[in-house]
Amino acid sequence: MKSRISWIAAVGTLVLAAAAAVLCGYPVLHLALELPSAAGIASTLGPLWNSLWTSAVSSAIASVVGMAWAVMLSGAVRRGQAALHAISLLPLWTPPFIGAFALGDAYARAGLLDQLAHVHVSWLYGPWGVTAALAIHAAPIGYLSGLTAVAAMNVEPMWAARSCGAGLWRAFWAAFRPVALRPLLAACALSFAFSLGDFGVPYELGEPSGFRTAATSIFANLSTGGTQGFTAATWQAFELMAVGALAVTVSRAAMRFDPGLGTSAPSATPLPLFPKRVRAISLAAYGLYVATTSGLPLAALVLTALTRAYGLPPTPRNWDAAGLFSPLVSAWPALVHTVVLAVLVAAVIALLGLVAAEAVPASAVARAAHLALWLLYAAPGTAVAVAILVAFGHVLYGTWWILGLAYVAKFYGLADAIVAARGNAPPEPWRAARSFGAGPAGAYGAAIWPAIRPAARQVALQALMSGLYEVTLASLLYGPNTQTIAVAVLSASEGGDVRTVAVLAVWMTAASFALGLLALREPRGRRSQGLSQLRMAVPAAPLEEVKLG
């Protein structure tokens, strides 16, 4: 049995090493070797600084706000937590480019709020609008980290402090502080990497005002900059890749520097409900936050899609429901391209994750290859696109192969959840199956697969969701015959066709929400066994599980 397992691990190690060499090693090395002279660095520092400070500020806000909502909701309700959990993750499922467009459609001049109440947000298009939008989209990361801290919290010190006369919040902080630091640091690092690499938000809210980040600068340099622009883009890609990888490496270290934190004992007492008045205030504040950051922007997006011409009042007499389908008909080739590409990429990532799950525990080489592949998840999409373009553009540019390579390289980090689930699978069922005469395949199907199937399912769905709305890689690597639906949305936005943008955005967001909810829900078979946990994988840590009722 040991020789058979060693053979399987060896094959898996070869597959992972080959994937790491093709997707990470060769592109990154090629990018580093092709870097031009340092004379061109000066022009990249301004956009890089804009990326750094907006990412730092937005990540701090997102981490604190998200963790605060996790605490408040955990102590405010017992029933209905599953619905609140799903609502809290809506910004994470909304494509950032579409989320920024929806915010502008709701709060900018001539937006929905301006039409209804003659009020608009004057600073939305500019650096502070970019920062606020990035914080909104990254807040679910802080929320998930907050749930991890709440699950790890020992409430006994809280009761002890209360019995000694301490106030509610002082007693709560005494119990929460020891387990809050590590998830908070991890959320800050993950949110920073997320914001640093985002292209859609600064493109939609920064470019109109002349505020340019490194991600949008790379796009502009590759689009119109010629040889000099390509030189600047390569430096910017290298800078972003280094900073992003450092940020999420810090996140992994933060999540693992103290193995005793972040895991709750089987008999841990849940966080007690807050006083009734505090619960009412918490739910009211949360409702206002959701309405402001998600409800009104999504409503504005739907109304713009329904209204027959942009600029008309979004009243029922100006609605044209048939117009919700006509852009889909005209964009059906891009839609088919997007679905096929996303399905294939999701399947490849899930399969690579299953290979890594068997090889990583048994081989140092496999662990190194898995880490190298995982680090590209931390790299901004623009940096990954430039690295793939430099390495394979002369052969594959304009083909589906270059898009597929870039998508797999960028989203492989999601497969970390499968590796973590495999590490948590007990070895006894495997040994029992083998002792009763089952072959390796039969023992795997009976003992291992049930333990990692939820993680594999979730990873595939998350990769599919990411592939459907990915705009950064597609906008830099697509050719005449490889346009995706996200590129169609971007092209319509550049052309000023606001209604087409809104219609396609509504359908993309609906598909993303459906996949997100499907990933969050347990299969019916596991629910029938009483295993009704809701999960969302964070690629920088083992698969986090928080029981919500």
Side-chain angles (χ1 to χ4, degrees):
M1 183 177 70
K2 289 184 179 180
S3 62
R4 183 70 60 88
I5 293 176
S6 299
W7 180 79
I8 294 173
V11 172
T13 299
L14 288 176
V15 171
L16 277 185
V22 172
L23 298 176
C24 179
Y26 178 68
V28 174
L29 180 62
H30 205 67
L31 177 65
L33 294 177
E34 292 293 325
L35 284 175
S37 64
I41 293 182
S43 63
T44 70
L45 296 182
L48 178 62
W49 168 246
N50 290 338
S51 292
L52 291 175
W53 80 258
T54 54
S55 299
V57 173
S58 63
S59 64
I61 295 172
S63 301
V64 173
V65 169
M67 184 167 283
W69 289 133
V71 171
M72 299 302 288
L73 295 179
S74 297
V77 293
R78 285 290 179 263
R79 296 182 179 180
Q81 279 197 353
L84 293 176
H85 184 63
I87 292 171
S88 300
L89 296 178
L90 287 180
L92 193 64
W93 299 337
T94 305
F97 178 82
I98 293 172
F101 175 84
L103 286 171
D105 208 15
Y107 299 116
R109 186 181 295 276
L112 182 60
L113 186 62
D114 198 13
Q115 294 183 46
L116 296 177
H118 304 292
V119 175
H120 70 278
V121 180
S122 58
W123 50 263
L124 186 60
Y125 287 98
W128 295 112
V130 170
T131 303
L134 290 173
I136 289 171
H137 280 274
I141 298 175
Y143 171 77
L144 291 170
S145 296
L147 289 182
T148 303
V150 171
M153 177 180 167
N154 182 3
V155 300
E156 298 303 327
M158 179 177 175
W159 292 122
R162 289 286 284 165
S163 66
C164 293
L168 174 63
W169 295 114
R170 185 176 179 182
F172 169 79
W173 183 243
F176 185 68
R177 184 179 59 185
V179 296
L181 178 61
R182 184 169 60 123
L184 182 63
L185 290 176
C188 285
L190 278 174
S191 301
F192 179 84
F194 170 85
S195 301
L196 183 72
D198 186 72
F199 165 78
V201 170
Y203 181 85
E204 183 64 28
L205 299 179
E207 283 290 307
S209 66
F211 181 77
R212 183 164 286 179
T213 65
T216 54
S217 182
I218 289 175
F219 180 80
N221 286 328
L222 291 180
S223 299
T224 60
T227 303
Q228 185 176 0
F230 187 81
T231 299
T234 54
W235 270 114
Q236 288 170 317
F238 189 78
E239 292 163 358
L240 285 181
M241 192 171 288
V243 175
L246 177 63
V248 186
T249 301
V250 170
S251 169
R252 288 183 75 99
M255 289 298 292
R256 295 177 179 178
F257 73 76
D258 184 354
L261 295 180
T263 55
S264 55
S267 58
T269 305
L271 182 68
L273 287 174
F274 297 144
K276 189 174 181 179
R277 184 177 179 181
V278 175
R279 283 183 277 160
I281 294 174
S282 301
L283 291 176
Y286 180 73
L288 180 62
Y289 172 82
V290 170
T292 303
T293 59
S294 295
L296 188 62
L298 292 176
L301 185 68
V302 173
L303 288 174
T304 301
L306 278 172
T307 305
R308 63 171 53 92
Y310 184 69
L312 292 175
T315 56
R317 67 178 181 178
N318 293 323
W319 289 356
D320 175 24
L324 288 174
F325 300 94
S326 55
L328 287 179
V329 175
S330 60
W332 73 265
L335 182 61
V336 172
H337 294 164
T338 303
V339 172
V340 172
L341 178 63
V343 169
L344 291 176
V345 167
V348 170
I349 290 174
L351 288 174
L352 282 176
L354 292 175
V355 171
E358 300 305 314
V360 165
S363 169
V365 174
R367 287 192 290 274
H370 174 69
L371 179 61
L373 286 168
W374 175 87
L375 284 174
L376 287 182
Y377 186 87
T382 46
V384 174
V386 171
I388 294 291
L389 186 62
V390 169
F392 304 108
H394 60 291
V395 176
L396 300 177
Y397 184 74
T399 68
W400 290 110
W401 287 103
I402 196 168
L403 278 173
L405 286 174
Y407 277 41
V408 174
K410 175 60 180 170
F411 301 131
Y412 173 83
L414 295 169
D416 202 33
I418 302 178
V419 178
R422 179 65 177 90
N424 294 330
E428 290 78 11
W430 163 272
R431 295 169 183 164
R434 292 291 285 156
S435 66
F436 280 96
Y444 183 88
I448 304 301
W449 175 244
I452 64 174
R453 180 175 57 191
R457 171 180 172 273
Q458 186 192 58
V459 166
L461 288 171
Q462 286 184 259
L464 178 61
M465 177 172 58
S466 301
L468 287 177
Y469 70 64
E470 170 59 38
V471 65
T472 307
L473 300 173
S475 64
L476 292 175
L477 299 176
Y478 81 97
N481 299 314
T482 57
Q483 189 182 53
T484 65
I485 195 68
V487 173
V489 174
L490 185 64
S491 300
S493 177
E494 291 177 336
D497 190 354
V498 176
R499 193 190 180 193
T500 297
V501 174
V503 171
L504 295 178
V506 165
W507 288 107
M508 290 176 64
T509 305
S512 181
F513 284 1
L515 289 171
L517 289 172
L518 190 61
L520 203 62
R521 295 291 293 174
E522 289 288 356
R524 182 177 299 177
R526 290 179 64 84
R527 293 201 306 270
S528 65
Q529 300 171 15
L531 302 174
S532 58
Q533 293 166 335
L534 298 176
R535 295 185 177 93
M536 178 57 64
V538 178
L543 186 67
E544 303 291 353
E545 299 184 4
V546 181
K547 193 164 186 178
L548 300 176

